Amino acid sequence: ADSEAVAALEYPVEISLEEVAHGTSRSVVLTSGNRSEEIRVKIPPAVRDGQRIRVAGKGNFGADGRGDLMILC
């Protein structure tokens, strides 16, 4: 299996039509074991339903380091 795919993490978010028109941001709390991290993710205007926004290096830990966080809109 591809270690990058294994280490990726998908996080769904819901956004309103107004947020789609103007863009927005979301706070995402990532938890791994007893450790948590809050990051702010910018969601650009005109994002499409089902589109993924990649946040490099914020996914799960894998054999080759940390994967990417995929924000699912």
Side-chain angles (χ1 to χ4, degrees):
D2 182 355
S3 61
E4 190 66 24
V6 172
L9 176 63
E10 195 167 272
Y11 192 98
V13 296
E14 291 186 24
I15 57 176
S16 69
L17 288 175
E18 183 177 346
E19 291 171 321
V20 168
H22 301 289
T24 189
S25 62
R26 287 286 190 275
S27 288
V28 176
V29 178
L30 306 173
T31 304
S32 177
N34 62 353
R35 185 174 35 176
S36 66
E37 173 184 12
E38 182 176 356
I39 61 169
R40 195 107 179 120
V41 177
K42 187 174 182 179
I43 300 172
V47 69
R48 295 178 311 277
D49 187 37
Q51 183 175 343
R52 287 176 172 82
I53 299 169
R54 179 176 172 244
V55 183
K58 294 296 183 181
N60 291 320
F61 291 93
D64 294 333
R66 197 163 179 188
D68 297 336
L69 171 64
M70 302 301 286
I71 302 296
L72 179 60
C73 298

